[in-house]
Amino acid sequence: MFTTYDIIVVGAGHAGCEAAAAAAKMGSKILLVTMNMNAIAQMSCNPAMGGIAKGQIVREIDALGGMSGIIADQSMIQFRMLNQSKGPAMWSPRTQNDRTRFAEAWRLALEATSNVDFWQEMVREIIVQDGQVVGVKTGMGLEIRAKAVILTNGTFLNGRIHIGEKQFGGGRTGERAATGLTEQLVAMGFEAGKMKTGTPPRVDGRTLDYHKMEEQRGDDQPGKFSFLNTTQPLKQQKSCFITYTNKSVHQILESGFDQSPMFSGRIQGHGPRYCPSIEDKITRFAERERHQIFVEPEGWHTVEIYVNGFSTSLPEAVQRKALQAIPGFEKAKMFRPGYAIEYDYFPATQLQSTLETHLIANLYLAGQINGTTGYEEAACQGLMAGINAHQKVNELPPLVLSRADAYIGVLIDDLTTKVIDEPYRMFTSRAEFRISLRQDNADLRLTPIGHQLGLASHGRMQQVQRQQTDTAQLLEALKTWKLTPAQMNTPLKQVESSLLQEKQAAFQLLKRPELGWEILKAADETLAQYLQQYDKSTLEQVAIQVKYERYLQKEQELVEKTQRLEDYKLPVHFDYDHIQALSAEATEKLKKIRPATLGQASRISGVSPADVSILIVYLGR
């Protein structure tokens, strides 16, 4: 019945969709296996993409030739650029999305990809021969062969849903859990653990009083995720709203703590520190009298509302009573209660930097199965697993992004070198080179890589080359374009900037934090006319490079220093027991994690600078 596929992707969430789309676009024959064809690319939690650091990841996915940015643009109902009061390294795009349109757009995109086949069924086990995966076995006993397998099971592996004292199996509400895989992988020698996440109740927007809430509009000039011109910014947007909990809400919630699966010990898995349940928040931050609640529409035409900030696993009756004590929610009707879900994951220290497992060749893991949380973190892992699985089966070199290349590189390096004991979430603070890894330059950084792989189109590459040329040209022009005191001193006085005594290059003037393009254009009409030939993205790119020139240079020097350690490659089967000078802890951690480079080894907890020095000496010999 089945042909032999190049790659089988198990699971059709954000990781699975990106993996299938990327490998198929690169030329591999793909089978995407999912338990429910109607739940492809389901936004299981909030209907939004991007946010702090996550927005950078979506733009990086797009720059490489992935699909998440395009799908987010096609289904967005609101766009906001977060952190604009801070420096550009912190700017993070975020979209509010139509949940139904998002899933539909992903499914249509996959169905339009000729190399992708679909199969609706549960995968119970993988087929392994001579230490290499060669296919999967389904719940009906079908054996499907492939050269590589990517597992992107999300929260479905032995998933268990908790609502108060009730608990039942499920990967998410209304969908059954996946069984068999965890037990098989553990029997093969893999280490597994439990993690927990949760979701808030959904309510009927017709029963809310928005006059009691703060309106949160989208940007006046909305942007978008994709660098391609095939998607367009929104001309009309839907507002979100903000309200707050209060002492009364907290007291009602506390009244149900004796029935809480989290406090009773029925939930064993670790939950996300930075997206805690409402009961966790009022316990950990008992001194706070209120917490923000974000009221987010689920789409253009539905009345369903996502109550962001009210994730809970308390009994349904307690949830309802507490909700109705929130301003604006007095008459709120629930569509369904919030719940917690506990599921199996596999610590990613068992993976290579390509996301291929150490134990089984050609087996890749991506997404929440690796202990991450969030659509964006899952999607970028899926993209990288899809790329590397294709490269492996075609005997081509792998793609490993470094911490200096992308947030994606930071995420995968963190996962594969650090012990993660709670769901991993990306933050700008995790990236030591974040001034260079901005959302605005993701295409300049990564599209050449995606194009070389055959993933990013020729049109994308031409667009990047045009911007590179325009940016270089404008930077040079600004260095020689002089403005006089007569032109500048009046506007400089208005913004309380030091006055000119002689002519100064526009390049130097633009370095001043208080000066932007509008002031320079108003001061020099000829310059304003000259700048008309450049698009908004080029002007933004040049302004950032000018203002942060010194910081970017310092960061590049640091990148070059750290790169020396990355250039030391460590063999996969390196015999660490042979180096007696290494500490016992370092030997144990190095043998377990099997870092690909000395740089990775240096970031492993328990490997000291002295251990790294010993490895350098040994490698030098």
Side-chain angles (χ1 to χ4, degrees), residues 453-469:
L453 289 166
L455 185 56
S457 67
H458 185 59
R460 274 185 181 270
M461 191 61 210
Q462 285 183 316
Q463 187 173 312
V464 167
Q465 288 170 335
R466 280 195 300 271
Q467 178 151 11
Q468 288 172 330
T469 300

Side-chain angles (χ1 to χ4, degrees), residues 220-355:
D220 291 336
Q221 295 183 314
K224 60 193 188 77
F225 276 119
S226 183
F227 291 98
L228 288 175
N229 295 324
T230 51
T231 63
Q232 299 299 320
L234 287 169
K235 293 180 180 177
Q236 180 183 354
Q237 302 186 71
K238 286 202 81 167
S239 290
C240 297
F241 293 84
I242 298 173
T243 185
Y244 297 86
T245 63
N246 51 50
K247 286 184 177 180
S248 177
V249 174
H250 299 177
Q251 287 169 357
I252 295 168
L253 292 169
E254 287 169 352
S255 72
F257 278 7
D258 60 330
Q259 299 171 280
S260 166
M262 189 175 72
F263 295 119
S264 67
R266 287 191 295 275
I267 293 178
Q268 301 296 319
H270 295 282
R273 177 189 301 265
Y274 300 103
C275 189
S277 65
I278 187 65
E279 51 263 43
D280 196 19
K281 278 192 279 192
I282 65 172
T283 303
R284 281 168 50 192
F285 308 105
E287 74 283 359
R288 294 192 184 178
E289 294 187 356
R290 67 177 193 170
H291 294 277
Q292 277 188 325
I293 299 295
F294 297 91
V295 181
E296 300 178 345
E298 296 258 350
W300 285 113
H301 305 298
T302 180
V303 297
E304 189 169 358
I305 294 295
Y306 182 88
V307 190
N308 195 344
F310 204 85
S311 174
T312 180
S313 57
L314 289 169
E316 177 272 338
V318 177
Q319 292 186 34
R320 184 189 304 275
K321 188 176 179 182
L323 271 177
Q324 292 179 341
I326 296 172
F329 279 72
E330 291 85 358
K331 298 179 180 179
K333 292 181 181 179
M334 277 202 299
F335 282 161
R336 58 185 184 273
Y339 61 87
I341 182 166
E342 200 171 19
Y343 56 94
D344 295 338
Y345 83 104
F346 292 85
T349 49
Q350 301 170 99
L351 305 180
Q352 301 174 40
S353 299
T354 59
L355 299 181

Side-chain angles (χ1 to χ4, degrees), residues 416-418 586 589-590 593-595 597 599-608:
T416 54
T417 62
K418 294 178 171 62
K589 295 287 181 66
L590 290 165
I593 295 173
R594 293 285 168 189
T597 68
Q600 277 194 335
S602 71
R603 293 188 290 274
I604 296 172
S605 174
V607 177
S608 69

Side-chain angles (χ1 to χ4, degrees), residues 26 70 85 97 106 264 318 406 410 412 495 501 513 520 569 585 591 594:
M26 293 169 74
I70 294 170
S85 62
N97 293 85
W106 249 122
S264 67
V318 177
V410 173
I412 293 176
V495 294
Q501 303 301 319
L520 293 181
K569 303 297 181 186
E585 184 180 6
K591 285 166 62 179
R594 293 285 168 189

Side-chain angles (χ1 to χ4, degrees), residues 14-171:
H14 297 260
C17 289
E18 283 290 0
K25 284 168 71 176
M26 293 169 74
S28 285
K29 185 66 177 173
I30 307 299
L31 179 67
L32 181 59
V33 186
T34 174
M35 292 196 295
N36 185 356
M37 287 282 290
N38 294 319
I40 288 174
Q42 186 73 262
M43 297 181 113
S44 307
C45 202
N46 63 322
M49 287 291 284
I52 306 302
K54 294 167 175 277
Q56 282 85 330
I57 289 177
V58 177
R59 291 213 118 195
E60 290 178 350
I61 292 170
D62 182 74
L64 283 166
M67 292 295 297
S68 288
I70 294 170
I71 302 297
D73 287 351
Q74 290 174 344
S75 59
M76 64 180 169
I77 62 176
Q78 187 193 85
F79 179 93
R80 294 175 65 219
M81 185 67 77
L82 307 183
N83 277 345
Q84 288 199 78
S85 62
K86 301 178 181 178
M90 303 295 287
W91 298 352
S92 301
R94 183 187 189 273
T95 57
Q96 198 70 34
N97 293 85
D98 185 307
R99 186 187 298 278
T100 303
R101 284 193 184 183
F102 185 92
E104 179 187 41
W106 249 122
R107 178 165 176 167
L108 292 175
L110 289 168
E111 289 179 351
T113 306
S114 58
N115 278 342
V116 177
D117 287 348
F118 302 87
W119 185 249
Q120 179 172 293
E121 200 183 343
M122 182 192 296
V123 169
R124 287 201 180 273
E125 60 183 272
I126 57 172
I127 305 169
V128 178
Q129 293 177 359
D130 300 322
Q132 178 173 317
V133 70
V134 294
V136 301
K137 185 179 288 187
T138 72
M140 291 194 298
L142 297 173
E143 292 190 2
I144 312 172
R145 298 280 166 160
K147 299 172 185 175
V149 173
I150 303 173
L151 300 180
T152 69
N153 302 75
T155 61
F156 280 76
L157 290 179
N158 292 325
R160 194 152 194 81
I161 292 172
H162 298 263
I163 305 176
E165 295 178 317
K166 301 171 186 174
Q167 49 183 299
F168 47 90

